[in-house]
Amino acid sequence: MVDDESVLGFCADGPLLTAMGAGSLVCVPIGNGDGALTLVRGHDRPPFSLADLAVLQEVGLQLGLAVRAQTSYQSRSQAAEALSASVAPRNLPSVPGYEAAAVYHPGSSVGAEFYDVFPVAGGWGFALGGAAGKGEEAASVSAMVRGGLRVLSVWESDPDLVMRKVNEALVAQGTGMFVMAAAGFVKGRTIRMSSAGHHPAVLLQPDGGVRYAAGGGVPLGIAAEAETGQETLTVAPGETLVLYSEGLISSRNERGEPYGEERLADVLGRCAGQAPSAVVKAVEEDRNLFSGGQVWDEIVVFALRGV
C-alpha cells in the first residue's frame, strides 16, 4: 500500500502518486544495477500482493539478463562494424588518368577481405587481399596488413619491397595466419604489381579481349623470406584492370559448382568499353544470379580503367 505519496517525487499537481490516484505500488530491481521496474495500481483495484512481488522479481531478473545480452550484442556489433570499416575505404579517391570503382559485400560473419587505394610517391597505390579464416582475429590481421601496405608505401617506391616488409612484420607478430594479397603502384600508364599468393588481376581490353596477369607468389605470413610474383603492366586508355577476392571465385551455385575465373572472364568480355562502375556491377549481378543471392564469404571487385 502507498504510505508515502511523495516517494516517486512531485509534479505540477503535487505528489506524483496522488496525481496518478495510486493505491498501491511495487518496485523491483532489473538485474544487478540495471535499473528498476515500478508498477502502480489505482485505488479502484486490489493492492499488489506478495505473490505479485515474487512474480515481478522474476520478471526483473529476466529483464536484467535481456539488458545484458543486448548490451553485449551491441558492443560486438559495434566492434564488427569498426573492423569492417578498417578493411575497406569509405570512398575511393580520384586517381589522375583513371576511373575507379569497387563493390564490397560482407560475408555471413566478420570477414577478412580488404581493399584500398592510397597515394604513393609520384603516383597512387592500390591493394586487395584477405587473411585465411573468419572472425575478429582474421579481420584484425587483414586490417594490420592493409595499414602496413598503406604506411610503408609512403617511403618505398617498389610495391614488392613493401609487400616483403609487411611479410616480415606479419611473421614477427606470430599471429599464425597467412594473408593472400596483391598490390600495385600506378605511375602514368605503368602499373607495377606484386602478388603474394593472390588471384591474378585481369586486363580487359577495349575489343573485349581478356588477359590474366601472372599473379603468383606465396601468401604473407608463411615464411620469414617472402616469395612474391612481380609484373609490370601497361594500362592504355580504354583498358580496365580488374582485381577480385577469393570469395567471388569460390562462390557456389545450388549444385556446389564454383563461380570460377572462366565465368568471370566471360562476364568481363561482355563489358568492353564500359565504365568501371558498370563492370563491377555486371560482375556483382552475375555472381548473385549464379549463387541465388547467397553470400558466405566477402565479395570484393575492384576495377581501374585508363581514360
Side-chain angles (χ1 to χ4, degrees), residues 76-106:
R76 292 182 64 86
S77 178
Q78 290 170 355
E81 289 176 0
L83 283 171
S84 295
S86 70
V87 296
R90 293 185 180 275
N91 298 292
L92 288 177
S94 177
V95 179
Y98 294 85
E99 290 180 274
V103 292
Y104 179 94
H105 286 295

PDB file of all heavy atoms in Angstrom, residues 76-106:
ATOM      1  N   ARG A  76      29.510  -6.050 -29.481  1.00  0.00           N
ATOM      2  CA  ARG A  76      30.115  -6.898 -30.508  1.00  0.00           C
ATOM      3  C   ARG A  76      29.765  -6.382 -31.902  1.00  0.00           C
ATOM      4  O   ARG A  76      30.593  -6.436 -32.818  1.00  0.00           O
ATOM      5  CB  ARG A  76      29.655  -8.350 -30.339  1.00  0.00           C
ATOM      6  CG  ARG A  76      30.184  -9.016 -29.087  1.00  0.00           C
ATOM      7  CD  ARG A  76      29.734 -10.471 -29.014  1.00  0.00           C
ATOM      8  NE  ARG A  76      30.289 -11.244 -30.095  1.00  0.00           N
ATOM      9  CZ  ARG A  76      31.488 -11.821 -30.073  1.00  0.00           C
ATOM     10  NH1 ARG A  76      32.258 -11.673 -29.018  1.00  0.00           N
ATOM     11  NH2 ARG A  76      31.919 -12.541 -31.097  1.00  0.00           N
ATOM     12  N   SER A  77      28.537  -5.878 -32.054  1.00  0.00           N
ATOM     13  CA  SER A  77      28.133  -5.354 -33.351  1.00  0.00           C
ATOM     14  C   SER A  77      28.951  -4.116 -33.710  1.00  0.00           C
ATOM     15  O   SER A  77      29.391  -3.955 -34.851  1.00  0.00           O
ATOM     16  CB  SER A  77      26.639  -5.012 -33.343  1.00  0.00           C
ATOM     17  OG  SER A  77      26.228  -4.456 -34.567  1.00  0.00           O
ATOM     18  N   GLN A  78      29.173  -3.249 -32.733  1.00  0.00           N
ATOM     19  CA  GLN A  78      29.974  -2.053 -32.972  1.00  0.00           C
ATOM     20  C   GLN A  78      31.415  -2.428 -33.299  1.00  0.00           C
ATOM     21  O   GLN A  78      32.053  -1.809 -34.158  1.00  0.00           O
ATOM     22  CB  GLN A  78      29.917  -1.134 -31.760  1.00  0.00           C
ATOM     23  CG  GLN A  78      28.555  -0.480 -31.557  1.00  0.00           C
ATOM     24  CD  GLN A  78      28.437   0.231 -30.221  1.00  0.00           C
ATOM     25  OE1 GLN A  78      29.350   0.165 -29.391  1.00  0.00           O
ATOM     26  NE2 GLN A  78      27.334   0.907 -29.995  1.00  0.00           N
ATOM     27  N   ALA A  79      31.923  -3.459 -32.595  1.00  0.00           N
ATOM     28  CA  ALA A  79      33.283  -3.909 -32.880  1.00  0.00           C
ATOM     29  C   ALA A  79      33.378  -4.473 -34.294  1.00  0.00           C
ATOM     30  O   ALA A  79      34.347  -4.224 -35.015  1.00  0.00           O
ATOM     31  CB  ALA A  79      33.706  -4.970 -31.858  1.00  0.00           C
ATOM     32  N   ALA A  80      32.340  -5.236 -34.689  1.00  0.00           N
ATOM     33  CA  ALA A  80      32.326  -5.808 -36.043  1.00  0.00           C
ATOM     34  C   ALA A  80      32.273  -4.713 -37.094  1.00  0.00           C
ATOM     35  O   ALA A  80      32.950  -4.776 -38.118  1.00  0.00           O
ATOM     36  CB  ALA A  80      31.138  -6.752 -36.198  1.00  0.00           C
ATOM     37  N   GLU A  81      31.467  -3.675 -36.844  1.00  0.00           N
ATOM     38  CA  GLU A  81      31.373  -2.562 -37.796  1.00  0.00           C
ATOM     39  C   GLU A  81      32.707  -1.817 -37.886  1.00  0.00           C
ATOM     40  O   GLU A  81      33.121  -1.396 -38.975  1.00  0.00           O
ATOM     41  CB  GLU A  81      30.264  -1.606 -37.369  1.00  0.00           C
ATOM     42  CG  GLU A  81      28.857  -2.181 -37.547  1.00  0.00           C
ATOM     43  CD  GLU A  81      27.785  -1.245 -37.032  1.00  0.00           C
ATOM     44  OE1 GLU A  81      28.154  -0.159 -36.550  1.00  0.00           O
ATOM     45  OE2 GLU A  81      26.601  -1.598 -37.124  1.00  0.00           O
ATOM     46  N   ALA A  82      33.364  -1.666 -36.742  1.00  0.00           N
ATOM     47  CA  ALA A  82      34.660  -0.983 -36.748  1.00  0.00           C
ATOM     48  C   ALA A  82      35.685  -1.784 -37.534  1.00  0.00           C
ATOM     49  O   ALA A  82      36.487  -1.222 -38.288  1.00  0.00           O
ATOM     50  CB  ALA A  82      35.146  -0.760 -35.313  1.00  0.00           C
ATOM     51  N   LEU A  83      35.651  -3.115 -37.361  1.00  0.00           N
ATOM     52  CA  LEU A  83      36.587  -3.955 -38.093  1.00  0.00           C
ATOM     53  C   LEU A  83      36.293  -3.915 -39.584  1.00  0.00           C
ATOM     54  O   LEU A  83      37.202  -3.862 -40.415  1.00  0.00           O
ATOM     55  CB  LEU A  83      36.515  -5.396 -37.583  1.00  0.00           C
ATOM     56  CG  LEU A  83      37.211  -5.671 -36.251  1.00  0.00           C
ATOM     57  CD1 LEU A  83      36.883  -7.068 -35.742  1.00  0.00           C
ATOM     58  CD2 LEU A  83      38.724  -5.509 -36.391  1.00  0.00           C
ATOM     59  N   SER A  84      35.012  -3.931 -39.938  1.00  0.00           N
ATOM     60  CA  SER A  84      34.642  -3.855 -41.357  1.00  0.00           C
ATOM     61  C   SER A  84      35.119  -2.544 -41.964  1.00  0.00           C
ATOM     62  O   SER A  84      35.599  -2.498 -43.098  1.00  0.00           O
ATOM     63  CB  SER A  84      33.124  -3.997 -41.524  1.00  0.00           C
ATOM     64  OG  SER A  84      32.694  -5.277 -41.113  1.00  0.00           O
ATOM     65  N   ALA A  85      34.977  -1.451 -41.202  1.00  0.00           N
ATOM     66  CA  ALA A  85      35.412  -0.148 -41.702  1.00  0.00           C
ATOM     67  C   ALA A  85      36.922  -0.084 -41.865  1.00  0.00           C
ATOM     68  O   ALA A  85      37.431   0.706 -42.672  1.00  0.00           O
ATOM     69  CB  ALA A  85      34.941   0.956 -40.756  1.00  0.00           C
ATOM     70  N   SER A  86      37.657  -0.937 -41.111  1.00  0.00           N
ATOM     71  CA  SER A  86      39.116  -0.898 -41.177  1.00  0.00           C
ATOM     72  C   SER A  86      39.674  -1.686 -42.345  1.00  0.00           C
ATOM     73  O   SER A  86      40.886  -1.665 -42.573  1.00  0.00           O
ATOM     74  CB  SER A  86      39.712  -1.437 -39.861  1.00  0.00           C
ATOM     75  OG  SER A  86      39.498  -2.839 -39.748  1.00  0.00           O
ATOM     76  N   VAL A  87      38.844  -2.393 -43.103  1.00  0.00           N
ATOM     77  CA  VAL A  87      39.340  -3.190 -44.223  1.00  0.00           C
ATOM     78  C   VAL A  87      38.845  -2.677 -45.570  1.00  0.00           C
ATOM     79  O   VAL A  87      39.161  -3.260 -46.607  1.00  0.00           O
ATOM     80  CB  VAL A  87      38.969  -4.686 -44.065  1.00  0.00           C
ATOM     81  CG1 VAL A  87      39.637  -5.283 -42.853  1.00  0.00           C
ATOM     82  CG2 VAL A  87      37.458  -4.874 -43.984  1.00  0.00           C
ATOM     83  N   ALA A  88      38.085  -1.603 -45.591  1.00  0.00           N
ATOM     84  CA  ALA A  88      37.590  -1.053 -46.852  1.00  0.00           C
ATOM     85  C   ALA A  88      37.453   0.458 -46.724  1.00  0.00           C
ATOM     86  O   ALA A  88      36.977   0.952 -45.706  1.00  0.00           O
ATOM     87  CB  ALA A  88      36.249  -1.673 -47.231  1.00  0.00           C
ATOM     88  N   PRO A  89      37.864   1.221 -47.739  1.00  0.00           N
ATOM     89  CA  PRO A  89      37.733   2.675 -47.665  1.00  0.00           C
ATOM     90  C   PRO A  89      36.281   3.108 -47.788  1.00  0.00           C
ATOM     91  O   PRO A  89      35.465   2.428 -48.419  1.00  0.00           O
ATOM     92  CB  PRO A  89      38.547   3.151 -48.880  1.00  0.00           C
ATOM     93  CG  PRO A  89      38.479   2.014 -49.843  1.00  0.00           C
ATOM     94  CD  PRO A  89      38.455   0.764 -49.007  1.00  0.00           C
ATOM     95  N   ARG A  90      35.940   4.209 -47.166  1.00  0.00           N
ATOM     96  CA  ARG A  90      34.579   4.738 -47.272  1.00  0.00           C
ATOM     97  C   ARG A  90      34.307   5.234 -48.697  1.00  0.00           C
ATOM     98  O   ARG A  90      33.217   5.060 -49.228  1.00  0.00           O
ATOM     99  CB  ARG A  90      34.373   5.884 -46.267  1.00  0.00           C
ATOM    100  CG  ARG A  90      34.399   5.432 -44.815  1.00  0.00           C
ATOM    101  CD  ARG A  90      34.071   6.581 -43.890  1.00  0.00           C
ATOM    102  NE  ARG A  90      34.093   6.162 -42.497  1.00  0.00           N
ATOM    103  CZ  ARG A  90      33.067   5.605 -41.868  1.00  0.00           C
ATOM    104  NH1 ARG A  90      31.943   5.409 -42.527  1.00  0.00           N
ATOM    105  NH2 ARG A  90      33.153   5.252 -40.607  1.00  0.00           N
ATOM    106  N   ASN A  91      35.307   5.874 -49.290  1.00  0.00           N
ATOM    107  CA  ASN A  91      35.173   6.386 -50.648  1.00  0.00           C
ATOM    108  C   ASN A  91      36.481   6.176 -51.389  1.00  0.00           C
ATOM    109  O   ASN A  91      37.564   6.254 -50.791  1.00  0.00           O
ATOM    110  CB  ASN A  91      34.830   7.885 -50.644  1.00  0.00           C
ATOM    111  CG  ASN A  91      33.497   8.170 -49.975  1.00  0.00           C
ATOM    112  OD1 ASN A  91      32.456   7.801 -50.488  1.00  0.00           O
ATOM    113  ND2 ASN A  91      33.551   8.825 -48.816  1.00  0.00           N
ATOM    114  N   LEU A  92      36.390   5.919 -52.689  1.00  0.00           N
ATOM    115  CA  LEU A  92      37.589   5.780 -53.498  1.00  0.00           C
ATOM    116  C   LEU A  92      38.084   7.157 -53.920  1.00  0.00           C
ATOM    117  O   LEU A  92      37.310   7.972 -54.422  1.00  0.00           O
ATOM    118  CB  LEU A  92      37.293   4.937 -54.740  1.00  0.00           C
ATOM    119  CG  LEU A  92      37.072   3.443 -54.531  1.00  0.00           C
ATOM    120  CD1 LEU A  92      36.727   2.767 -55.856  1.00  0.00           C
ATOM    121  CD2 LEU A  92      38.302   2.795 -53.919  1.00  0.00           C
ATOM    122  N   PRO A  93      39.364   7.434 -53.730  1.00  0.00           N
ATOM    123  CA  PRO A  93      39.893   8.722 -54.177  1.00  0.00           C
ATOM    124  C   PRO A  93      39.998   8.756 -55.698  1.00  0.00           C
ATOM    125  O   PRO A  93      39.937   7.739 -56.378  1.00  0.00           O
ATOM    126  CB  PRO A  93      41.279   8.766 -53.527  1.00  0.00           C
ATOM    127  CG  PRO A  93      41.659   7.338 -53.370  1.00  0.00           C
ATOM    128  CD  PRO A  93      40.390   6.605 -53.075  1.00  0.00           C
ATOM    129  N   SER A  94      40.171   9.940 -56.233  1.00  0.00           N
ATOM    130  CA  SER A  94      40.315  10.121 -57.669  1.00  0.00           C
ATOM    131  C   SER A  94      41.769   9.888 -58.062  1.00  0.00           C
ATOM    132  O   SER A  94      42.678  10.532 -57.532  1.00  0.00           O
ATOM    133  CB  SER A  94      39.882  11.539 -58.072  1.00  0.00           C
ATOM    134  OG  SER A  94      40.090  11.750 -59.442  1.00  0.00           O
ATOM    135  N   VAL A  95      41.999   8.940 -58.967  1.00  0.00           N
ATOM    136  CA  VAL A  95      43.343   8.639 -59.458  1.00  0.00           C
ATOM    137  C   VAL A  95      43.510   9.308 -60.820  1.00  0.00           C
ATOM    138  O   VAL A  95      42.802   8.953 -61.771  1.00  0.00           O
ATOM    139  CB  VAL A  95      43.552   7.116 -59.587  1.00  0.00           C
ATOM    140  CG1 VAL A  95      44.956   6.812 -60.114  1.00  0.00           C
ATOM    141  CG2 VAL A  95      43.331   6.428 -58.243  1.00  0.00           C
ATOM    142  N   PRO A  96      44.390  10.291 -60.961  1.00  0.00           N
ATOM    143  CA  PRO A  96      44.541  11.006 -62.235  1.00  0.00           C
ATOM    144  C   PRO A  96      44.816  10.054 -63.393  1.00  0.00           C
ATOM    145  O   PRO A  96      45.662   9.170 -63.307  1.00  0.00           O
ATOM    146  CB  PRO A  96      45.744  11.924 -61.975  1.00  0.00           C
ATOM    147  CG  PRO A  96      45.753  12.125 -60.495  1.00  0.00           C
ATOM    148  CD  PRO A  96      45.291  10.827 -59.915  1.00  0.00           C
ATOM    149  N   GLY A  97      44.078  10.242 -64.487  1.00  0.00           N
ATOM    150  CA  GLY A  97      44.259   9.410 -65.661  1.00  0.00           C
ATOM    151  C   GLY A  97      43.480   8.116 -65.634  1.00  0.00           C
ATOM    152  O   GLY A  97      43.554   7.323 -66.573  1.00  0.00           O
ATOM    153  N   TYR A  98      42.698   7.904 -64.569  1.00  0.00           N
ATOM    154  CA  TYR A  98      41.962   6.645 -64.426  1.00  0.00           C
ATOM    155  C   TYR A  98      40.579   6.895 -63.827  1.00  0.00           C
ATOM    156  O   TYR A  98      40.344   7.900 -63.159  1.00  0.00           O
ATOM    157  CB  TYR A  98      42.712   5.664 -63.508  1.00  0.00           C
ATOM    158  CG  TYR A  98      44.023   5.182 -64.078  1.00  0.00           C
ATOM    159  CD1 TYR A  98      45.191   5.931 -63.902  1.00  0.00           C
ATOM    160  CD2 TYR A  98      44.101   3.988 -64.778  1.00  0.00           C
ATOM    161  CE1 TYR A  98      46.397   5.495 -64.416  1.00  0.00           C
ATOM    162  CE2 TYR A  98      45.311   3.539 -65.294  1.00  0.00           C
ATOM    163  CZ  TYR A  98      46.449   4.300 -65.117  1.00  0.00           C
ATOM    164  OH  TYR A  98      47.648   3.869 -65.641  1.00  0.00           O
ATOM    165  N   GLU A  99      39.691   5.939 -64.060  1.00  0.00           N
ATOM    166  CA  GLU A  99      38.428   5.840 -63.338  1.00  0.00           C
ATOM    167  C   GLU A  99      38.487   4.594 -62.475  1.00  0.00           C
ATOM    168  O   GLU A  99      39.005   3.563 -62.923  1.00  0.00           O
ATOM    169  CB  GLU A  99      37.248   5.702 -64.306  1.00  0.00           C
ATOM    170  CG  GLU A  99      36.914   6.935 -65.110  1.00  0.00           C
ATOM    171  CD  GLU A  99      35.727   6.669 -66.019  1.00  0.00           C
ATOM    172  OE1 GLU A  99      35.951   6.157 -67.130  1.00  0.00           O
ATOM    173  OE2 GLU A  99      34.584   6.947 -65.602  1.00  0.00           O
ATOM    174  N   ALA A 100      37.953   4.668 -61.266  1.00  0.00           N
ATOM    175  CA  ALA A 100      37.990   3.521 -60.363  1.00  0.00           C
ATOM    176  C   ALA A 100      36.609   3.268 -59.779  1.00  0.00           C
ATOM    177  O   ALA A 100      35.817   4.193 -59.579  1.00  0.00           O
ATOM    178  CB  ALA A 100      38.995   3.748 -59.236  1.00  0.00           C
ATOM    179  N   ALA A 101      36.323   2.012 -59.515  1.00  0.00           N
ATOM    180  CA  ALA A 101      35.066   1.628 -58.866  1.00  0.00           C
ATOM    181  C   ALA A 101      35.287   0.306 -58.149  1.00  0.00           C
ATOM    182  O   ALA A 101      36.191  -0.472 -58.499  1.00  0.00           O
ATOM    183  CB  ALA A 101      33.932   1.506 -59.881  1.00  0.00           C
ATOM    184  N   ALA A 102      34.468   0.048 -57.141  1.00  0.00           N
ATOM    185  CA  ALA A 102      34.598  -1.196 -56.381  1.00  0.00           C
ATOM    186  C   ALA A 102      33.261  -1.565 -55.760  1.00  0.00           C
ATOM    187  O   ALA A 102      32.409  -0.702 -55.523  1.00  0.00           O
ATOM    188  CB  ALA A 102      35.658  -1.050 -55.286  1.00  0.00           C
ATOM    189  N   VAL A 103      33.083  -2.853 -55.511  1.00  0.00           N
ATOM    190  CA  VAL A 103      31.956  -3.344 -54.716  1.00  0.00           C
ATOM    191  C   VAL A 103      32.534  -4.197 -53.587  1.00  0.00           C
ATOM    192  O   VAL A 103      33.540  -4.887 -53.769  1.00  0.00           O
ATOM    193  CB  VAL A 103      30.952  -4.176 -55.544  1.00  0.00           C
ATOM    194  CG1 VAL A 103      30.236  -3.306 -56.547  1.00  0.00           C
ATOM    195  CG2 VAL A 103      31.637  -5.340 -56.247  1.00  0.00           C
ATOM    196  N   TYR A 104      31.903  -4.100 -52.436  1.00  0.00           N
ATOM    197  CA  TYR A 104      32.332  -4.881 -51.266  1.00  0.00           C
ATOM    198  C   TYR A 104      31.086  -5.394 -50.563  1.00  0.00           C
ATOM    199  O   TYR A 104      30.240  -4.602 -50.141  1.00  0.00           O
ATOM    200  CB  TYR A 104      33.160  -4.006 -50.322  1.00  0.00           C
ATOM    201  CG  TYR A 104      33.625  -4.727 -49.066  1.00  0.00           C
ATOM    202  CD1 TYR A 104      34.883  -5.318 -49.025  1.00  0.00           C
ATOM    203  CD2 TYR A 104      32.813  -4.807 -47.941  1.00  0.00           C
ATOM    204  CE1 TYR A 104      35.322  -5.979 -47.879  1.00  0.00           C
ATOM    205  CE2 TYR A 104      33.240  -5.465 -46.805  1.00  0.00           C
ATOM    206  CZ  TYR A 104      34.491  -6.053 -46.768  1.00  0.00           C
ATOM    207  OH  TYR A 104      34.912  -6.708 -45.645  1.00  0.00           O
ATOM    208  N   HIS A 105      30.945  -6.710 -50.469  1.00  0.00           N
ATOM    209  CA  HIS A 105      29.834  -7.313 -49.751  1.00  0.00           C
ATOM    210  C   HIS A 105      30.386  -8.123 -48.585  1.00  0.00           C
ATOM    211  O   HIS A 105      31.177  -9.054 -48.795  1.00  0.00           O
ATOM    212  CB  HIS A 105      29.018  -8.238 -50.660  1.00  0.00           C
ATOM    213  CG  HIS A 105      28.166  -7.522 -51.648  1.00  0.00           C
ATOM    214  ND1 HIS A 105      27.115  -6.713 -51.283  1.00  0.00           N
ATOM    215  CD2 HIS A 105      28.222  -7.461 -53.001  1.00  0.00           C
ATOM    216  CE1 HIS A 105      26.555  -6.199 -52.361  1.00  0.00           C
ATOM    217  NE2 HIS A 105      27.212  -6.635 -53.414  1.00  0.00           N
ATOM    218  N   PRO A 106      30.005  -7.798 -47.347  1.00  0.00           N
ATOM    219  CA  PRO A 106      30.446  -8.620 -46.219  1.00  0.00           C
ATOM    220  C   PRO A 106      29.822  -9.999 -46.282  1.00  0.00           C
ATOM    221  O   PRO A 106      28.766 -10.194 -46.872  1.00  0.00           O
ATOM    222  CB  PRO A 106      29.944  -7.832 -44.993  1.00  0.00           C
ATOM    223  CG  PRO A 106      28.798  -7.025 -45.517  1.00  0.00           C
ATOM    224  CD  PRO A 106      29.137  -6.695 -46.948  1.00  0.00           C
TER     225      PRO A 106
END
